[in-house]
Amino acid sequence: MAQQYQIDFVNRYAQMAMQQEIQYGIPASVTLAQMALESDWGRGYLARAGNNYFGIKQGSSTGPTIKGTDGLAYRQYQSPEDSIIDHSRVLMGKNYAPCHQYSWTDAYNWCRGLKACNYASDSNYVNKLLNTIKSNSLRQFDTMAENIA
């Protein structure tokens, strides 16, 4: 059973995730699951201090950065919504091109594709994403976005 903070998190960001699904074809469930895992449901340092909900490193970005607890530079955002939009832009880049072949309702293969494209180094990342999707009923947002589009 989901904790109240998890329910509140999903309620707060589901609409934005569905908008990204409609615009970019990234399943809302995957966006929400990544956001939840990477930010510890919005409670992690990068999310709280820099609105970075996906652990996106500075890379070639010239915008503001925040130093993570690991000493690395991460992108800093004005709002959680800016973080979500940038996450979609990152996933639509060439590094994640293999994922673009999957339907926006194919969360399973999107999760597998993200791992295959080295989004995260955690060997259990796919299972963590899929478990987060399942235990929080996030697939419903994929269907809702499909019905809106």
Side-chain angles (χ1 to χ4, degrees):
M1 182 175 201
Q3 299 290 320
Q4 188 60 47
Y5 69 88
Q6 294 169 317
I7 294 166
D8 293 343
F9 183 91
V10 171
N11 287 339
R12 181 171 181 190
Y13 299 114
Q15 185 66 38
M16 186 69 166
M18 288 188 293
Q19 290 170 351
Q20 297 304 294
E21 177 176 327
I22 292 165
Q23 184 171 355
Y24 295 103
I26 303 162
S29 62
V30 173
T31 297
L32 289 167
Q34 282 194 288
M35 193 177 186
L37 285 176
E38 297 292 340
S39 74
D40 188 22
W41 298 95
R43 300 177 304 169
Y45 171 73
L46 291 175
R48 288 182 293 105
N51 287 310
N52 187 328
Y53 283 75
F54 296 94
I56 297 175
K57 294 182 179 78
Q58 178 183 13
S60 61
S61 172
T62 57
T65 61
I66 184 170
K67 190 173 188 175
T69 56
D70 56 5
L72 298 175
Y74 291 84
R75 294 182 189 179
Q76 185 172 9
Y77 301 98
Q78 291 291 318
S79 67
E81 291 77 16
D82 288 343
S83 179
I84 294 170
I85 291 167
D86 192 47
H87 170 260
S88 294
R89 289 181 185 145
V90 167
L91 293 190
M92 295 317 296
K94 66 179 181 174
N95 291 346
Y96 299 97
C99 295
H100 305 167
Q101 68 182 312
Y102 303 121
S103 164
W104 60 355
T105 59
D106 191 353
Y108 174 79
N109 278 315
W110 265 92
C111 291
R112 290 186 53 211
L114 290 172
K115 176 61 180 143
C117 293
N118 297 311
Y119 186 93
S121 59
D122 183 346
S123 61
N124 202 25
Y125 193 67
V126 173
N127 288 333
K128 287 180 179 179
L129 286 175
L130 293 172
N131 287 336
T132 300
I133 290 169
K134 183 177 181 180
S135 64
N136 293 279
S137 303
L138 300 180
R139 292 292 306 272
Q140 67 179 313
F141 300 108
D142 298 342
T143 303
M144 289 169 65
E146 186 178 23
N147 291 335
I148 292 170

